């Protein structure tokens, strides 16, 4: 079945899906649209009225977590599935991904704040020591510190690694006002994991030519 990923020209929550399909050698159309294209046309054509979208044949999937897991289930890297077939390992992968995703709660809440100064202060507090996002990032850092392989779960690349790699980088890109580019500097295990994933030849090739400035943090 033909696959198509639709989102804006930035990473967002859909980046793990894009990267998983790419590493798995799965053919897909990567449709990157403008806000104008979404608001004036595409938004009115789909029931969920939200992005990202994953088209699987004639089906439209609108939840990024479901998209990511599906992409991982149909993708293999170096002969091993990106989403484990063993139920227990799959459970551990899901748990790790959910721990990483916890940081989106406080950061996501900031988008509802209209006053710019208040929004930036809220974000700065969330990623500072004791903040709601900081505590989850710290916990993920501790989990990676316990790994003997350098991977999030098990001894080879999984969608857990891809999700962590893809979701942490924008935090230090300067893209989100109020979040300092140094916000992850204290987390040495996250940085070591980032370097491990970024230096996989296929990953390095994918991000060799950044599509926009925010992608430079993926190198």
């Amino acid at each position: 079945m033909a696959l198509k990923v639709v989102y804006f020209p930035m990473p967002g929550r859909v980046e793990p899906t894009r990267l998983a399909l790419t590493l798995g050698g799965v053919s897909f159309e990567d449709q990157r649209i403008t806000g104008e294209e979404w608001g004036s046309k595409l938004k009115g054509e789909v029931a969920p009225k939200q992005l990202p979208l994953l088209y699987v044949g004639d089906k439209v999937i609108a939840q990024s977590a479901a998209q990511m897991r599906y992409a991982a289930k149909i993708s293999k890297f170096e002969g091993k599935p990106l989403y484990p077939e063993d139920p227990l390992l799959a459970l551990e992968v899901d748990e790790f991904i959910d721990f990483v995703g916890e940081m989106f709660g406080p950061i996501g809440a900031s988008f509802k704040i209209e006053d710019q100064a208040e929004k930036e202060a809220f974000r700065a507090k969330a990623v500072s020591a004791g903040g709601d996002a900081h505590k989850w990032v710290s916990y993920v850092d501790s989990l990676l510190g316990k790994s003997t392989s350098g991977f999030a779960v098990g001894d080879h690349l999984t969608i857990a690694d891809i999700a962590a790699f893809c979701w942490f980088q924008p935090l230090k890109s300067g893209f989100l006002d109020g979040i300092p580019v140094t916000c992850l500097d204290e987390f040495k295990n996250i940085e070591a994991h980032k370097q491990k994933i970024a230096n996989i030849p296929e990953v390095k090739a994918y991000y060799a030519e950044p599509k926009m400035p925010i992608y430079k943090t993926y190198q």
Side-chain angles (χ1 to χ4, degrees), residues 63-101:
Q63 287 291 327
S64 60
Q67 297 163 4
M68 174 180 65
R69 287 177 170 87
Y70 176 76
K73 288 175 181 178
I74 63 172
S75 301
K76 290 184 176 182
F77 182 71
E78 295 183 343
K80 297 180 180 180
L82 290 177
Y83 191 86
E85 295 172 346
D86 177 87
L88 182 56
L89 283 177
L91 180 64
E92 292 180 35
V93 162
D94 286 339
E95 179 191 43
F96 186 89
I97 290 172
D98 289 346
F99 278 137
V100 177

Side-chain angles (χ1 to χ4, degrees), residues 12-123:
R13 296 293 291 267
V14 79
E15 193 67 10
T17 297
R18 289 172 174 153
L19 185 54
L21 293 173
T22 298
L23 294 179
V26 178
S27 178
F28 73 102
E29 180 183 348
D30 186 5
Q31 184 178 359
R32 303 187 183 222
I33 62 174
T34 64
E36 182 179 356
E37 288 173 320
W38 170 241
S40 65
K41 183 172 185 265
L42 294 175
K43 189 174 183 179
E45 297 178 354
V46 291
K49 299 189 184 305
Q50 66 182 40
L51 292 175
L53 297 173
L54 173 64
Y55 288 79
V56 184
D58 59 357
K59 294 185 181 295
V60 183
I61 307 300
Q63 287 291 327
S64 60
Q67 297 163 4
M68 174 180 65
R69 287 177 170 87
Y70 176 76
K73 288 175 181 178
I74 63 172
S75 301
K76 290 184 176 182
F77 182 71
E78 295 183 343
K80 297 180 180 180
L82 290 177
Y83 191 86
E85 295 172 346
D86 177 87
L88 182 56
L89 283 177
L91 180 64
E92 292 180 35
V93 162
D94 286 339
E95 179 191 43
F96 186 89
I97 290 172
D98 289 346
F99 278 137
V100 177
E102 289 283 2
M103 69 178 179
F104 286 119
I107 294 174
S110 70
F111 286 95
K112 297 179 181 180
I113 301 174
E114 295 184 3
D115 182 81
Q116 184 64 21
E118 184 182 349
K119 178 185 296 185
E120 291 184 21
F122 183 93
R123 289 174 175 172

Side-chain angles (χ1 to χ4, degrees), residues 136-170:
W136 290 113
V137 177
S138 180
Y139 186 66
V140 171
D141 187 72
S142 72
L143 292 178
L144 290 172
K146 296 174 184 177
S147 172
T148 57
S149 66
F151 292 110
V153 176
D155 60 1
H156 63 87
L157 184 74
T158 68
I159 192 63
D161 299 294
I162 293 172
F165 172 74
C166 290
W167 289 345
F168 278 132
Q169 305 324 307

